[in-house]
Amino acid sequence: MKKNSSVTINDVASEAGVSKSTVSLVIRNSSLVKPATRKVVVEAMQRIGYVYNRDAANFRSRSSNIVGLIIHDLTNPFFAEMYVGLEKRLANSGYIALLSNTSEDAEVQLRNFNIMKEHRIAGFIVCPAQGTDQQFIEALKQQNTPVVSVIRRLPDPDKSFDYISADVRQGTYLATRHLLEQGYRHVGYIGGLDTPIRKDRLKGYKQALSEFDLRVDEKYIYTCQPTRANGEKAIRELMLSPNVELDACVCYNDLVALGTLWGLHDLGVAVGKEFGVVGFDNVAAAAHTTPPLTSVASNSDDIGRAAAERLLHRIENNTEQPVHIVKPVELVVRNSSGRQPD
Amino acid sequence: MKKNSSVTINDVASEAGVSKSTVSLVIRNSSLVKPATRKVVVEAMQRIGYVYNRDAANFRSRSSNIVGLIIHDLTNPFFAEMYVGLEKRLANSGYIALLSNTSEDAEVQLRNFNIMKEHRIAGFIVCPAQGTDQQFIEALKQQNTPVVSVIRRLPDPDKSFDYISADVRQGTYLATRHLLEQGYRHVGYIGGLDTPIRKDRLKGYKQALSEFDLRVDEKYIYTCQPTRANGEKAIRELMLSPNVELDACVCYNDLVALGTLWGLHDLGVAVGKEFGVVGFDNVAAAAHTTPPLTSVASNSDDIGRAAAERLLHRIENNTEQPVHIVKPVELVVRNSSGRQPD
DNA sequence: TAGAGTTTTTGGAACGTTCCAAAAAAAAAT
DNA sequence: ATTTTTTTTTGGAACGTTCCAAAAACTCTA
């Protein structure tokens, strides 16, 4: 009986001895149908193995329960976790996710978006690739389904999309202040390209320094793509630079932090004693580095859920002004930011 | 002009002064239409901002370019990377992925599968959750679209699905032999529940031992859910057990290995000198542990691609017998398996 | 230039559902 | 028992595309 499910609503109707309209109502849980009738129909459906053709339904009703997810790097555990939170929330409301990993490639992003569009999607959640251009923004605006951006803001001058982010400024502030409180006095900032989010983070960094009456020294701010390899390279360059005497650093994210841990280990620097390191994201690996990494936790799972919630809300009601939701962060202190008493 | 794209093929037709059938042919790149006509139509499409309604098309032609992906844990970097390879390959052939992360929950798995089914999917790629039961297998068999399983085999007595896996037996063999060649003589095996894959791995482990004329001692084989925390717990128990004198271990996967590294560090054991550790999967983090982790690489990206390829092939031609494709693995040697000369 | 052959275009039915207005059935009121 | 009201069920049109058989437009040959 594994025939290509051409069992339709009509077959159910004749099996149950009602009209197709009634069957349709039953499927959609309408309160119009009499309980007895519903029972008959449901049984008929089971008897003949009916599978709802949601595409036909969506087609006719011009609606959709598919949400398009565009994420720039799913192999980053933070985003994978975020995805999981997102999907769970969507599933709870009967939505399902078409996913595209863009690998930071703006072209792939545009291409996949166009393919997704053809499926009449209910809404998009986007964590845009680097180099996302106006063409993409325009494309998003053109279509009238809601769009929510997460973590990274879409480079839209009009800020016309909802945006869910972590309070990275506060996080960076907490991280920096913590190192200063530990007694470190030459705290650098490592990683990230010159983006709006990073600017925001640096504000937190600078605020903490100024609260301790310390000057910001641009030599101590290192700009690079936030990868493990670059973290290692950065710390090496900084430590070997003659006119820099770093004794701690705040990292753009945990990947960078892992790189610096590694670099420092290699340089024979005792992290958590003579040098403090703080990461950002609190990925699972942070708890298991040597020494364990102090990190700013921006609950990925939670952010995913929030983004999903926002999108679902927009799908219902797309009249509000765009909002920017900032989820709180917290500092998770482990050994990498410790300090040996002088 | 951001009207809810009710621009249809008919609008294009009248704009271009041809029939809707011609437009349809143009969309589908039919060689039937004269180049000149095609040009006119394409221009008309652009002029009025036509978006192909693929759902309507799929609906009418009873086909689909959506592939259902069911994966048990996307937060495991191995699977995230596999997903990326998979998606890339699918996209190349014009397919797009509906993804479901089951978080090892067989109920979620079944539920999401049923939702996916309603979208008349072209085929499924499944990495089944633990505890996948016959009900799910039956459900997969019921529907007549192809199914490919990856990494974990579907618990189907008839083995009626394609299966793409890494050569874990060989990998475990290589890992064990390597440790033995380094001079370690009390090599344990840590992690994994009693599953078919693990049995396979243990075969490789045992083979290597026997090649060195060593007995298999069940005390040295530790069974547990393969997580970091359990890896740590395992090594601790083993090392503190009075009648066990372990000097090396092969781990079920890198997560477990990271746990053991951590545990050993805590116990003051010098990994890579007096104790050898080998992981499995060669996740990105393996290169950056202390010491760097020797690991068996089963190119995740490649496996994803292979699974996608297999599914695409099946979608074209679903008559062949199910196959089991085993992708080769290789040992990536780093410091964790080193040994101090006696 | 008529006829045959070939290429290109076309109109209408069909896919499986929802929507709608209206019919039928049941319940309540007289 | 009839009428009115309320609840439940229904048939046909519609959604935007593809499919198909047939028409139209060309090309070639004699």
Side-chain angles (χ1 to χ4, degrees):
Chain A
M1 266 306 130
K2 54 155 75 182
K3 195 70 228 321
N4 194 339
S5 79
S6 26
V7 178
T8 82
I9 212 179
N10 281 300
D11 302 323
V12 177
S14 57
E15 172 77 16
V18 299
S19 77
K20 62 176 174 24
S21 304
T22 303
V23 177
S24 176
L25 291 171
V26 169
I27 291 170
R28 286 175 290 152
N29 271 309
S30 163
S31 59
L32 286 178
V33 331
K34 204 159 55 173
T37 316
R38 155 161 301 132
K39 185 154 168 285
V40 171
V41 172
V42 168
E43 283 168 3
M45 291 202 299
Q46 276 159 358
R47 210 168 323 122
I48 66 180
Y50 169 73
V51 175
Y52 186 42
N53 184 337
R54 194 178 287 270
D55 286 345
N58 286 347
F59 166 49
R60 160 65 208 194
S61 62
R62 298 137 145 262
S63 68
S64 159
N65 71 329
I66 299 185
V67 165
L69 255 48
I70 298 181
I71 292 181
H72 75 282
D73 182 14
L74 207 64
T75 64
N76 178 330
F78 179 85
F79 290 101
E81 284 165 25
M82 185 183 87
Y83 170 81
V84 171
L86 238 161
E87 193 209 299
K88 213 174 280 174
R89 181 65 189 80
L90 289 176
N92 266 348
S93 296
Y95 285 80
I96 195 164
L98 262 184
L99 177 61
S100 156
N101 179 268
T102 59
S103 305
E104 292 285 21
D105 184 331
E107 267 179 60
V108 169
Q109 178 172 267
L110 185 60
R111 184 164 54 74
N112 288 3
F113 167 72
N114 280 321
I115 297 178
M116 282 182 170
K117 253 199 329 194
E118 297 182 348
H119 286 284
R120 321 193 105 254
I121 276 180
F124 287 94
I125 294 180
V126 183
C127 181
Q130 264 165 42
T132 295
D133 55 9
Q134 288 311 306
Q135 195 189 355
F136 184 65
I137 301 293
E138 280 313 309
L140 285 176
K141 285 186 183 172
Q142 281 293 315
Q143 48 102 39
N144 70 335
T145 62
V147 174
V148 171
S149 65
V150 217
I151 305 293
R152 291 187 185 170
R153 180 163 226 150
L154 281 160
D156 171 33
D158 314 343
K159 297 199 196 305
S160 42
F161 306 106
D162 285 331
Y163 174 44
I164 316 291
S165 68
D167 192 349
V168 293
R169 176 180 176 171
Q170 171 72 1
T172 310
Y173 167 73
L174 290 175
T176 312
R177 196 184 68 183
H178 169 66
L179 286 169
L180 293 168
E181 282 169 354
Q182 294 289 100
Y184 291 111
R185 279 297 171 273
H186 305 280
V187 181
Y189 188 89
I190 299 184
L193 299 176
D194 188 26
T195 60
I197 317 173
R198 184 167 184 260
K199 288 211 181 80
D200 209 24
R201 297 186 181 208
L202 284 175
K203 275 188 200 149
Y205 167 71
K206 291 171 182 172
Q207 184 189 340
L209 288 183
S210 90
E211 283 181 11
F212 276 72
D213 295 321
L214 294 168
R215 275 194 329 102
V216 173
D217 186 339
E218 292 294 334
K219 283 202 306 296
Y220 286 50
I221 299 180
Y222 191 100
T223 304
C224 63
Q225 184 87 357
T227 65
R228 214 183 296 242
N230 281 336
E232 187 176 347
K233 179 160 163 262
I235 197 70
R236 214 172 230 122
E237 284 182 20
L238 288 172
M239 295 301 279
L240 299 180
S241 173
N243 52 349
V244 176
E245 39 166 336
L246 212 58
D247 63 2
C249 65
V250 176
C251 298
Y252 184 83
N253 65 16
D254 284 347
L255 288 179
V256 172
L258 294 181
T260 64
L261 286 188
W262 182 242
L264 289 164
H265 174 264
D266 224 41
L267 292 164
V269 176
V271 175
K273 292 188 175 144
E274 45 172 334
F275 197 102
V277 176
V278 180
F280 208 110
D281 285 351
N282 193 35
V283 300
H288 299 274
T289 52
T290 331
L293 182 66
T294 294
S295 184
V296 177
S298 49
N299 197 335
S300 49
D301 189 87
D302 229 48
I303 289 179
R305 191 164 33 242
E309 226 135 57
R310 188 69 208 157
L311 186 70
L312 291 170
H313 180 256
R314 272 249 177 253
I315 289 172
E316 303 294 312
N317 167 10
N318 200 4
T319 59
E320 291 172 35
Q321 283 299 100
V323 299
H324 176 184
I325 297 174
V326 180
K327 302 294 284 184
V329 300
E330 60 180 335
L331 187 69
V332 177
V333 177
R334 300 199 183 84
N335 291 345
S336 71
S337 59
R339 191 160 196 267
Q340 213 152 33
D342 302 299
Chain B
M1 265 307 128
K2 53 155 75 179
K3 195 68 230 321
N4 193 341
S5 78
S6 26
V7 178
T8 81
I9 212 180
N10 281 299
D11 302 324
V12 177
S14 57
E15 172 77 16
V18 298
S19 76
K20 63 175 172 28
S21 303
T22 304
V23 177
S24 175
L25 291 172
V26 169
I27 292 171
R28 287 175 287 152
N29 271 308
S30 162
S31 59
L32 285 178
V33 331
K34 204 159 57 172
T37 315
R38 155 161 302 137
K39 186 154 167 285
V40 171
V41 172
V42 168
E43 282 167 4
M45 292 202 300
Q46 275 159 358
R47 212 169 321 123
I48 65 179
Y50 168 73
V51 176
Y52 185 42
N53 185 337
R54 194 178 288 270
D55 286 346
N58 286 348
F59 166 50
R60 161 64 208 192
S61 62
R62 299 137 146 266
S63 68
S64 160
N65 71 329
I66 300 185
V67 165
L69 255 49
I70 298 180
I71 292 181
H72 75 283
D73 182 13
L74 207 64
T75 64
N76 178 331
F78 178 86
F79 290 102
E81 285 164 25
M82 185 183 88
Y83 170 81
V84 171
L86 237 161
E87 194 208 299
K88 213 173 282 175
R89 182 64 191 80
L90 288 176
N92 266 347
S93 297
Y95 285 80
I96 196 164
L98 264 185
L99 177 61
S100 157
N101 179 268
T102 59
S103 305
E104 293 284 22
D105 184 330
E107 266 179 61
V108 169
Q109 178 172 266
L110 185 60
R111 183 164 55 74
N112 288 3
F113 167 71
N114 279 321
I115 297 178
M116 283 181 168
K117 252 198 331 192
E118 298 181 348
H119 285 283
R120 323 194 107 255
I121 276 179
F124 287 94
I125 294 180
V126 182
C127 181
Q130 265 165 42
T132 295
D133 56 7
Q134 288 311 305
Q135 195 189 355
F136 184 64
I137 301 293
E138 280 312 310
L140 285 176
K141 285 186 183 172
Q142 282 292 316
Q143 48 101 41
N144 69 334
T145 61
V147 173
V148 171
S149 65
V150 217
I151 305 295
R152 291 187 185 169
R153 181 163 224 150
L154 282 160
D156 172 32
D158 315 343
K159 296 198 196 306
S160 41
F161 305 106
D162 285 330
Y163 174 44
I164 316 290
S165 68
D167 192 348
V168 292
R169 176 178 177 172
Q170 170 73 1
T172 310
Y173 167 73
L174 290 174
T176 313
R177 195 183 68 183
H178 169 66
L179 287 168
L180 294 167
E181 281 169 355
Q182 294 290 100
Y184 291 111
R185 280 296 169 276
H186 305 280
V187 181
Y189 188 89
I190 299 185
L193 299 177
D194 189 26
T195 60
I197 317 172
R198 184 168 184 260
K199 287 210 181 80
D200 209 23
R201 297 186 181 207
L202 284 175
K203 276 189 199 148
Y205 167 73
K206 290 172 181 170
Q207 183 189 340
L209 288 184
S210 89
E211 282 181 12
F212 276 71
D213 295 320
L214 294 168
R215 274 196 329 102
V216 174
D217 185 340
E218 291 294 333
K219 282 202 306 296
Y220 286 51
I221 300 180
Y222 191 98
T223 304
C224 62
Q225 184 87 356
T227 66
R228 214 184 294 244
N230 281 335
E232 188 176 346
K233 179 160 164 260
I235 197 70
R236 213 171 231 124
E237 284 183 19
L238 288 172
M239 295 301 279
L240 300 179
S241 174
N243 52 350
V244 177
E245 40 167 335
L246 211 59
D247 64 2
C249 65
V250 176
C251 297
Y252 184 82
N253 66 15
D254 285 348
L255 288 179
V256 172
L258 294 181
T260 64
L261 287 188
W262 183 240
L264 288 164
H265 174 263
D266 224 41
L267 292 165
V269 176
V271 174
K273 293 189 176 144
E274 45 173 334
F275 197 102
V277 175
V278 180
F280 207 111
D281 284 351
N282 193 34
V283 300
H288 299 275
T289 52
T290 329
L293 183 65
T294 295
S295 184
V296 177
S298 50
N299 197 336
S300 49
D301 188 90
D302 228 48
I303 288 178
R305 191 163 32 244
E309 226 135 57
R310 188 67 208 159
L311 186 70
L312 292 170
H313 179 256
R314 274 251 175 250
I315 289 172
E316 302 293 314
N317 166 9
N318 201 5
T319 58
E320 291 172 35
Q321 284 297 100
V323 299
H324 176 185
I325 296 174
V326 180
K327 303 294 285 184
V329 299
E330 59 181 335
L331 187 70
V332 178
V333 177
R334 300 198 183 85
N335 291 345
S336 71
S337 59
R339 190 162 198 266
Q340 213 153 32
D342 303 296

